[in-house]
Amino acid sequence: MSGHSKWANIKHRKAAQDAKKGVAFQKLVRAIMVAAKEGGADLAMNIRLKTFVDKAKEANMTNETIDRAIKKGSGGLDGENYEELYYEGYGPGGVAVLVESLTDNKNRTSSEVRFVFSRNGGSLGEAGCVAWMFERRGVIVVSGEGLDEDELMMNALDGGADDVENNGDGTFSIYCTPSAFSAVRETLSGAGYHIASSDVQMTPKNTVTVSERGTASRLLRLLDALEDLDDVQNVTANFDIPDEVMESLEA
């Protein structure tokens, strides 16, 4: 299992813990509002909105809260005006970092992101400096005991997936294009697979190996600090930490 995949799984567990504390709810509400504002309130016609609504339901958000967020975003209710901003930079070890945010105060968010980069051994770059190293893909993680990889791959490909990766810890990551995301997710769910997490996100085209323990520790500290910012929705980086280094960091 690559360090990047292991970090992604740690993020999913952390998101589940944050959801219990209510931290993730506000981020999901913002995402639903912006998706509804940009693509309309019809889930059948707005794949991005449907994705966030599904995530909200997975986090046990009430239908009332979801409906209210959709109405705010689509103009049915008064609400905050959020805009989507991307920040690009480099972390320890020359790792490319892409930060996705939703904010109602650009100056505040920019200042916070810049501070976190500088405090944790990174540097904020100009727009476009690393975005070309990433592509938007649907990522669905399934888990369960004794999963048959060949059978899972057949089901995933039938649903429209591009690739299946064995994470080595009892979970598999299924990748697909954003347009096929809903169909792949529904196919896997209908086949009885437990979906641990699912999202349409930026993923790295290639990775940089970070094998020095101190550098890896500083990098993960930077990524965690960025994730913890209220206005940040998602953080992606093109790194790979060898298993033995990752395990030493978790010890």
Side-chain angles (χ1 to χ4, degrees), residues 33-125:
M33 287 173 58
V34 171
K37 177 182 178 181
E38 295 180 347
D42 187 349
L43 270 64
M45 301 297 293
N46 190 339
I47 295 176
R48 189 180 185 196
L49 176 60
K50 186 178 186 305
T51 298
F52 288 125
V53 168
D54 287 342
K55 287 185 67 176
K57 290 180 177 178
E58 288 174 1
N60 295 318
M61 186 181 291
T62 64
N63 289 332
E64 180 181 358
T65 301
I66 293 172
D67 290 342
R68 186 174 179 83
I70 293 174
K71 289 178 180 177
K72 280 186 176 182
S74 58
L77 293 173
D78 291 334
E80 300 87 349
N81 184 26
Y82 290 104
E83 62 177 320
E84 191 170 25
L85 298 175
Y86 289 83
Y87 297 93
E88 305 173 43
Y90 293 91
V95 171
V97 181
L98 185 63
V99 181
E100 301 173 70
S101 71
L102 292 176
T103 180
D104 59 352
N105 187 324
K106 180 179 179 179
N107 291 334
R108 178 194 66 222
T109 306
S110 298
S111 176
E112 290 177 346
V113 170
R114 185 178 300 278
F115 175 76
V116 169
F117 265 101
S118 62
R119 186 176 185 180
N120 291 279
S123 60
L124 189 62

Side-chain angles (χ1 to χ4, degrees), residues 4-200:
H4 188 277
S5 295
K6 186 170 289 185
W7 178 69
N9 285 348
I10 291 172
K11 283 209 305 178
H12 293 316
R13 291 198 296 270
K14 183 176 182 294
Q17 294 168 354
D18 286 348
K20 294 178 181 178
K21 295 181 294 185
V23 176
F25 272 30
Q26 184 57 40
K27 293 189 177 186
L28 282 170
V29 166
R30 290 185 187 184
I32 290 171
M33 287 173 58
V34 171
K37 177 182 178 181
E38 295 180 347
D42 187 349
L43 270 64
M45 301 297 293
N46 190 339
I47 295 176
R48 189 180 185 196
L49 176 60
K50 186 178 186 305
T51 298
F52 288 125
V53 168
D54 287 342
K55 287 185 67 176
K57 290 180 177 178
E58 288 174 1
N60 295 318
M61 186 181 291
T62 64
N63 289 332
E64 180 181 358
T65 301
I66 293 172
D67 290 342
R68 186 174 179 83
I70 293 174
K71 289 178 180 177
K72 280 186 176 182
S74 58
L77 293 173
D78 291 334
E80 300 87 349
N81 184 26
Y82 290 104
E83 62 177 320
E84 191 170 25
L85 298 175
Y86 289 83
Y87 297 93
E88 305 173 43
Y90 293 91
V95 171
V97 181
L98 185 63
V99 181
E100 301 173 70
S101 71
L102 292 176
T103 180
D104 59 352
N105 187 324
K106 180 179 179 179
N107 291 334
R108 178 194 66 222
T109 306
S110 298
S111 176
E112 290 177 346
V113 170
R114 185 178 300 278
F115 175 76
V116 169
F117 265 101
S118 62
R119 186 176 185 180
N120 291 279
S123 60
L124 189 62
E126 298 295 326
C129 67
V130 303
W132 60 273
M133 302 181 192
F134 300 86
E135 60 182 337
R136 189 169 292 280
R137 302 178 78 189
V139 184
I140 302 166
V141 178
V142 301
S143 62
E145 293 292 330
L147 291 176
D148 185 300
E149 185 170 355
D150 290 336
E151 184 178 348
L152 172 60
M153 182 171 291
M154 287 182 61
N155 279 289
L157 294 177
D158 285 344
D162 298 325
D163 192 20
V164 176
E165 178 183 357
N166 187 339
N167 295 325
D169 63 348
T171 68
F172 291 82
S173 295
I174 294 89
Y175 298 93
C176 62
T177 62
S179 61
F181 178 76
S182 294
V184 175
R185 191 182 187 285
E186 290 172 6
T187 296
L188 293 173
S189 180
Y193 290 101
H194 171 69
I195 297 177
S197 64
S198 60
D199 199 2
V200 175

